[in-house]
Structures are given as structure tokens and as C-alpha cells.
Amino acid sequence: MTPEVLGPVWASDRMLLGDRARWAGATVSRTGDERSLLVAAERGDRLVLFGRGEPGGVVELLRDRVAALRSSAGLGVAGMRGAAGTPGLAGWMSVPRGAVVPEDVLRPLHLEPFSTWDWLLAEAPPGTVAGEDVVVPLDPIAEASAIADCLAEANPGTTADPTGPHEAAWVGVRDEDGGLLGVFGAQTRGGAEEGGFSWHLHGLGVRPALRGRGLGAALTAALSRAGFAAGAQWVSLGMYADNEVARRIYHRLGFATLAEFSSFGPAGSTRPPT
């Protein structure tokens, strides 16, 4: 994921630069006008397809990629249809919202609509938020079970794991007995150049009984500020597109919505890949 691979339009794209370590070994294709880009990468045991840019161009790149995948797998038209439960040509796909993926492209992938989500970015620390003084740093290893317990109630769909690779920090709010009322974590991701880095926030969870009291905003502000203090060049996060309450909080804290996506996963998927 060097600037040469990304091309002139995408060489400074914050999202792609942040993710470049996760896209190690990826194949990148671009439209002739450079307005659209498609990443195809092996992540674990699955192929992940990720499009950025003009939706129509991404669909054309997808069409070319599916044709190449079908050819390499030796699939004809009959093989494209597959049987229920048969692995498809990809394990996950995200494309710009507004991209209409034709059935003849989607069918051999064996993917179904999963979610709509947005990617947000802050390039400066937020202002001080009320309640931020009660946010404390957590030990993601020693307190992994307590964090997981909080997330199980507060955000059961998250893929965030405090013991996972590239974890940068976790923060939380405790009750008077030391129990966790809310938590938020961050991963280290790529920066603008080799040696630079950013933080990506994930796993925000506030127990349902405590929502509406500003704890989510306080956790976000404190963790974002910690990232910039640690030297992060920017701080990013993803959110489901229908969570307007969260969007208002993030925008108030200085995050801007820079990209909007639709994701597709295998039938029965409950969460995206990590």
C-alpha cells in the first residue's frame, strides 16, 4: 500500500493509509480516471474486497475482479450460482454507499447486504467535555475480563478485543465499587508516512442504565485526547449509519464523516471481520 500502488488521488487518503498494515499483500486496482479504487486482500481465511471513491467506478472494478476470481476458480455460469452453504469467491465486501452491485457480480461472491456504516476522522484534540474527569485508563490485559463483561451488556456486537493485536489504550468509567460502567478502546494504525501512526477507536460501550448522562462523549473525548498526546497524527472511528445520537456526539467533538459505506457478508453473519 505504497503511494505508488495507491496512485496520485489516493496516496494521501487517511483511511487507506491507516489500514495499510492490515492490507499487507493486497492487490489494488484503479479506474483510468483514478476516481475509484478497489482493494482485494486476504484477511485470515477470507478474501475481503474494499472500494473507495466514485460508486459506479467501484462497481466496474468489482465486475473485473469477480471475472478474474471466477476464471481462476474455474467457475462457469453454473458454478457461479453455487449451492446453499457453498463458499463464495469472497468473505466480505464494503463499497461506497450508493454503489448498486448487480446480481451477476454479487451472486458468485455469495454475499448479502449486512450494514451501512460511516468512517469518521478527527485531526485535532477535542475540547474538554463535562464528566471527562471521571474517565480513567484501564489495563487491557489485567482487566480484559471486566472490559469484556461491560461490552457484553453495553455493546454485544462489537469485534473489539482488549487482548488483540495493535491495541493502544483502553479507558473506562467506574462505579463506586470499581465496576465498569462504560469503556472505550483504541488500536494503533498507520500514519501519513512510514514511522507515523494514527489511532482507531473501537468498542465504545456504556451500560444501558447509564446512557444519556454524557459518558459516551466523555470516554470519546478522553481517549481521543490520549491518542493525540501519544503522537497520533489523526484519530478515526467507524459507526453504523443509523446511529444519529452517536453521530451528533462525534461531530460535536470535532470528528468529520469522510466516507460512507455499504457492507456485504456471508449469509447469517453477525459481525464484520476484525
Side-chain angles (χ1 to χ4, degrees):
M1 297 289 280
T2 64
E4 292 74 22
V5 170
L6 293 175
V9 172
W10 300 102
S12 60
D13 183 78
R14 296 291 199 237
M15 187 174 196
L16 293 170
L17 290 173
D19 271 350
R20 64 173 175 247
R22 303 199 307 155
W23 297 125
T27 299
V28 177
S29 53
R30 311 190 305 267
T31 52
D33 62 7
E34 300 287 347
R35 294 175 60 191
S36 303
L37 172 147
L38 181 69
V39 177
E42 298 287 344
R43 188 177 292 173
D45 60 351
R46 70 181 78 196
L47 177 68
V48 174
L49 300 171
F50 179 76
R52 286 283 279 128
E54 197 275 324
V58 170
V59 170
E60 290 308 307
L61 293 172
L62 271 175
R63 190 182 295 278
D64 292 343
R65 173 60 55 180
V66 167
L69 290 169
R70 192 174 66 226
S71 175
S72 65
L75 295 177
V77 174
M80 288 169 55
R81 296 191 180 96
T86 302
L89 295 178
W92 201 265
M93 177 174 71
S94 293
V95 297
R97 203 143 69 241
V100 179
V101 184
E103 186 61 27
D104 65 324
V105 173
L106 195 57
R107 188 186 307 117
L109 298 175
H110 293 196
L111 301 178
E112 299 179 353
F114 177 79
S115 68
T116 56
W117 59 281
D118 298 341
W119 193 81
L120 286 72
L121 177 87
E123 298 196 83
T128 303
V129 171
E132 198 177 336
D133 56 318
V134 302
V135 177
V136 296
L138 303 178
D139 184 325
I141 303 301
E143 300 186 84
S145 61
I147 293 170
D149 176 74
C150 183
L151 289 175
E153 179 183 6
N155 187 354
T158 185
T159 60
D161 177 2
T163 66
H166 313 301
E167 293 300 304
W170 279 79
V171 296
V173 174
R174 301 184 189 278
D175 62 20
E176 57 187 14
D177 297 318
L180 290 174
L181 304 176
V183 296
F184 209 180
Q187 288 181 319
T188 301
R189 293 196 177 172
E193 67 288 315
E194 290 300 326
F197 68 93
S198 62
W199 274 21
H200 184 75
L201 310 189
H202 65 166
L204 174 62
V206 174
R207 295 189 187 270
L210 280 300
R211 291 174 186 165
R213 303 186 185 184
L215 294 185
L219 287 162
T220 304
L223 189 56
S224 299
R225 186 172 292 104
F228 286 110
Q233 295 173 323
W234 63 83
V235 174
S236 61
L237 59 87
M239 56 161 284
Y240 287 118
D242 60 356
N243 193 343
E244 290 301 327
V245 173
R247 187 189 309 279
R248 287 194 294 271
I249 292 172
Y250 295 142
H251 284 182
R252 192 169 70 242
L253 293 175
F255 286 84
T257 302
L258 293 192
E260 301 176 334
F261 296 95
S262 297
S263 284
F264 300 77
S269 297
T270 58
R271 60 181 64 188
T274 55

